[in-house]
Amino acid sequence: GSKDAIYTKIINFNNEKMQITWAAKELFPHENVSFSYTFDEGDHKIWKSCPNYLLDQDYNYGCLFETEGPTLAISIRNSNGSEELYSKRLKSDFYIKPSRPENVTFFWKEDTVTVSCNKPERGVKCLRLEFQYKSKFDKDWQSRTSKCCSVGEQGFDSGKCYYFRVRLKRLAPLCNVVPYSSDWEAETFWMNGTLLDSCDDDKKSQSNTVIILSCLLAVLLLMLILSILLCKWQRVRKSVMPAIPDPKHIFSDLFNDHNENFQEWIDKTDPAVVQTKLEYEEPECIIEAESQQEDEKNSDKQGPREKNFPFSGAAENDDPKAAQVACLMPTSSTIASFAGFQILMNDDMYVML
């Protein structure tokens, strides 16, 4: 067909290198074509052979060479160069693909992010800086474009992790035939003005925080349950096995102050205090110092009123305190001993012997 019907893709990499490709298998299925080019104008053109062919299964499908001027002429011929299969003349400046932005910086101020980069040496007016971002909860990128080489955006949440990426775009059709853009600068991850290695780190930190809080809550709940069970166990134990009273608490001064010396305790202890410690009401007690005969006479006349309990050694010595203690103590058929004395215990009274 016509020489102008062949589709070629032309890219001028930042006005430094040219790359021209064609569909070799579809256009020239039976032969390996050759490529030549020139940047000269007029009748004295010097054609150059392709220095670097691009191969597809041993078929030449493109050529890469240096950019030498604004006007380019290309020619595709058969394998031996005897027949021209395609030719074209073009402006190389209309096919520029810019390089990636250099020295990209992100400036945070509250909920606003400003992105900037270094200005290219040539063609700044034909360039735009494109800034794209999305949070870890977004599926699609949000885009913001501004003049080279600074762009700002508002509405960022300090509690979210964001993906950022930046590139330069060439204006078309004002400056380019094809609206080429640079490759994206490497993605960065930001949260509240802090650069992160990945937004997954934020997810891990949040999951770790949740795990720690859950463990603490479980420990506190377990301690509370154990405390409740312990209190209930104490109540059950007291109801099932009540505590046995210790005589030392009733006669604490006898054991602590008088070193279990009962006679010394009797001599120095006020009878009213003894009565209070025993926590029993003192029964009426008649102590008679008269002879046994007079007791019998009085008992015959008045009748039995109180039964006297002789206290060993105290009645013979006419010791009033010992006799008083003997009256304070209840009688019982059960005998217990402590501090060198014997105590007869009943439900109501104690008798010390």
Side-chain angles (χ1 to χ4, degrees):
S2 171
K3 295 181 180 180
D4 296 333
I6 297 177
Y7 172 77
T8 57
K9 184 176 181 179
I10 304 169
I11 303 176
N12 183 359
F13 293 101
N14 200 36
N15 216 16
E16 296 174 357
K17 286 186 176 293
M18 297 288 302
Q19 176 180 289
I20 300 178
T21 57
W22 55 87
K25 294 181 180 180
E26 290 79 1
L27 298 175
F28 314 108
H30 302 295
E31 62 179 320
N32 203 356
V33 298
S34 61
F35 178 86
S36 58
Y37 68 95
T38 181
F39 286 94
D40 298 329
E41 297 183 8
D43 298 333
H44 303 286
K45 296 179 181 180
I46 300 177
W47 291 89
K48 298 180 180 179
S49 299
C50 177
N52 297 303
Y53 279 105
L54 304 178
L55 302 179
D56 181 13
Q57 297 181 0
D58 297 331
Y59 280 91
N60 299 333
Y61 80 96
C63 180
L64 182 65
F65 53 95
E66 293 184 358
T67 303
E68 300 177 6
T71 304
L72 173 65
I74 61 174
S75 176
I76 298 177
R77 296 177 175 270
N78 57 5
S79 57
N80 57 17
S82 60
E83 180 183 0
E84 185 176 66
L85 304 176
Y86 174 76
S87 64
K88 187 174 183 178
R89 188 170 179 271
L90 53 95
K91 291 288 186 180
S92 61
D93 293 344
F94 287 171
Y95 297 88
I96 293 178
K97 179 178 180 178
S99 300
R100 293 178 178 178
E102 297 179 355
N103 193 22
V104 179
T105 58
F106 298 89
F107 177 73
W108 283 74
K109 185 177 181 182
E110 297 179 353
D111 66 338
T112 303
V113 177
T114 303
V115 186
S116 59
C117 66
N118 291 345
K119 290 184 178 182
E121 297 179 357
R122 294 179 292 181
V124 178
K125 293 182 179 180
C126 292
L127 295 175
R128 293 293 181 266
L129 181 63
E130 183 178 9
F131 169 47
Q132 287 191 348
Y133 60 91
K134 68 176 181 178
S135 72
K136 57 185 180 181
F137 304 105
D138 300 329
K139 294 182 179 180
D140 299 327
W141 290 93
Q142 305 295 321
S143 184
R144 178 77 172 179
T145 304
S146 182
K147 293 182 179 180
C148 188
C149 291
S150 179
V151 60
E153 186 60 85
Q154 296 179 340
F156 289 94
D157 188 350
S158 60
K160 293 182 180 180
C161 181
Y162 289 92
Y163 301 77
F164 288 166
R165 64 181 184 181
V166 181
R167 68 178 178 180
L168 290 173
K169 296 180 66 175
R170 182 86 171 177
L171 293 178
L174 180 62
C175 300
N176 258 32
V177 174
V178 182
Y180 284 137
S181 299
S182 70
D183 296 332
W184 290 105
E185 183 66 16
E187 290 183 8
T188 55
F189 310 93
W190 294 82
M191 182 175 179
N192 196 23
T194 303
L195 179 63
L196 303 177
D197 293 334
S198 173
C199 283
D200 294 335
D201 296 340
D202 178 54
K203 294 180 181 178
K204 291 180 180 178
S205 63
Q206 289 182 355
S207 62
N208 292 336
T209 303
V210 171
I211 292 174
I212 293 173
L213 292 177
S214 301
C215 292
L216 291 177
L217 183 61
V219 171
L220 293 176
L221 184 60
L222 180 61
M223 292 177 63
L224 178 61
I225 294 174
L226 291 177
S227 301
I228 294 174
L229 293 177
L230 182 60
C231 293
K232 289 187 176 181
W233 165 247
Q234 292 291 342
R235 293 180 182 177
V236 172
R237 188 178 64 83
K238 288 181 179 180
S239 62
V240 175
M241 297 181 294
I244 301 175
D246 192 350
K248 291 184 178 181
H249 298 295
I250 302 176
F251 304 100
S252 59
D253 53 350
L254 172 61
F255 291 91
N256 298 330
D257 300 338
H258 301 284
N259 196 20
E260 302 183 4
N261 190 332
F262 184 78
Q263 187 63 40
E264 180 182 344
W265 175 71
I266 289 295
D267 293 338
K268 293 185 178 181
T269 305
D270 186 70
V273 177
V274 176
Q275 179 180 353
T276 303
K277 289 182 177 292
L278 294 175
E279 295 182 355
Y280 290 101
E281 293 183 0
E282 181 181 357
E284 294 183 1
C285 183
I286 301 175
I287 302 175
E288 298 180 0
E290 297 179 358
S291 64
Q292 184 175 4
Q293 295 177 356
E294 293 176 353
D295 294 340
E296 294 176 355
K297 292 179 181 181
N298 294 332
S299 61
D300 295 338
K301 294 178 180 181
Q302 297 177 0
R305 291 179 60 187
E306 296 288 340
K307 185 177 180 180
N308 297 332
F309 298 90
F311 188 68
S312 177
E316 297 176 359
N317 296 331
D318 296 333
D319 190 341
K321 292 186 177 180
Q324 187 177 15
V325 172
C327 293
L328 290 173
M329 306 302 293
T331 62
S332 175
S333 60
T334 304
I335 301 177
S337 62
F338 71 93
F341 297 93
Q342 289 185 336
I343 301 177
L344 297 179
M345 294 181 292
N346 199 353
D347 295 337
D348 298 327
M349 302 183 65
Y350 295 83
V351 176
M352 302 184 65
L353 302 177

